[in-house]
Amino acid sequence: TAYFSHPGHKNATAFAFAGSTPTPTPTPTATPTADPTIPAGYYDSAAGLSGSSLKSALHNIIDGHTTLSYSAVWEALKVLDQDPNNSANVIEFYSGLSTPKTNNGGDANNWNREHTWPQSHGDFGTGNGPGTDVHHLRPEDVAVNSTRGNKDFDLGGSAVSECGDCWTDADSFEPRDSVKGDLARGILYMAVRYNGDDGFADLEVNNSINGSTNYLGKVCVLLGWHNADPVTAAERTRNNAIYSTYQRNRNPFIDHPEYAESIFGATC
């Protein structure tokens, strides 16, 4: 009784037995914070969906974007793919080389506008729409662009001249590892954005090489690249710029990488 009369000591619960460890108070699990670069509510209509329902919802979200002319694509790529270490240059997508922005054109050693989804896989040319959609258009060396041609994407082959860590054979092309995910997400975007309801071709990914028109493969390889090469800060920055400055739509597979498996995973 005398002991508990001292200030601060009121009862025996203030003591712990020697050698015991007090039970820690659990820390509440933090509520996940949405990526602040994604406009609030942008994907609300896709919440809780999967498979074909999710694909349809995403199409409706990114449909009807502001289109660019093919000439305007030159200037857009000079901004979107600018070399972070040299503002006078762009980074070629497959090769990774830095080259002057002014070196654009169709001659040897120039860079030009590479359609990662080839025009012939949908017969859409360079008119406004899939032919000028900068979510899949990238700067690339003329020779490397020619080597890729309209080939599908797959593994292996022979080394590509002027493109370190790129490989090709008669009917497929494999880019360097550090852009495989970027490439895959751009291709999956195209398969969701263009479904034939707006006068453009219905673009689809499949698991074939040399498939019929409107198809591009191999989707299982692309999903593997998507998973092995996660979204980077630079990719998010590019996506944000396309949304805010050029097309007013976003690539869902950059904002929500988990959507890829939900929509296309059953194919594999």
Side-chain angles (χ1 to χ4, degrees), residues 106-220:
D107 297 329
N109 297 318
N110 284 162
W111 65 270
N112 60 10
R113 297 155 291 186
E114 155 68 345
H115 292 77
T116 61
W117 189 295
Q119 299 171 43
S120 62
H121 288 248
D123 193 27
F124 50 73
T126 59
N128 295 13
T132 65
D133 195 317
V134 289
H135 279 295
H136 86 112
L137 282 161
R138 297 289 191 142
E140 189 48 66
D141 175 80
V142 168
V144 176
N145 195 346
S146 177
T147 297
R148 188 277 162 120
N150 67 350
K151 298 173 183 176
D152 295 273
F153 294 104
D154 200 2
L155 300 170
S158 303
V160 176
S161 177
E162 301 183 52
C163 190
D165 198 28
C166 297
W167 308 87
T168 193
D169 56 23
D171 51 21
S172 71
F173 187 86
E174 177 184 354
R176 59 194 173 105
D177 290 346
S178 59
V179 296
K180 283 177 174 173
D182 308 53
L183 168 71
R185 288 179 279 276
I187 296 299
L188 298 182
Y189 159 88
M190 294 290 284
V192 170
R193 167 60 187 87
Y194 299 99
N195 68 358
D197 68 350
D198 52 7
F200 299 119
D202 180 6
L203 304 182
E204 299 289 346
V205 287
N206 64 6
N207 213 33
S208 301
I209 293 293
N210 291 328
S212 55
T213 303
N214 297 13
Y215 285 84
L216 188 65
K218 293 182 172 180
V219 63
C220 294

Side-chain angles (χ1 to χ4, degrees), residues 220-240:
C220 294
V221 171
L222 292 168
L223 281 176
W225 292 351
H226 166 68
N227 292 323
D229 177 30
V231 177
T232 62
E235 206 174 346
R236 292 189 185 95
T237 298
R238 190 179 196 274
N239 194 29
N240 290 333

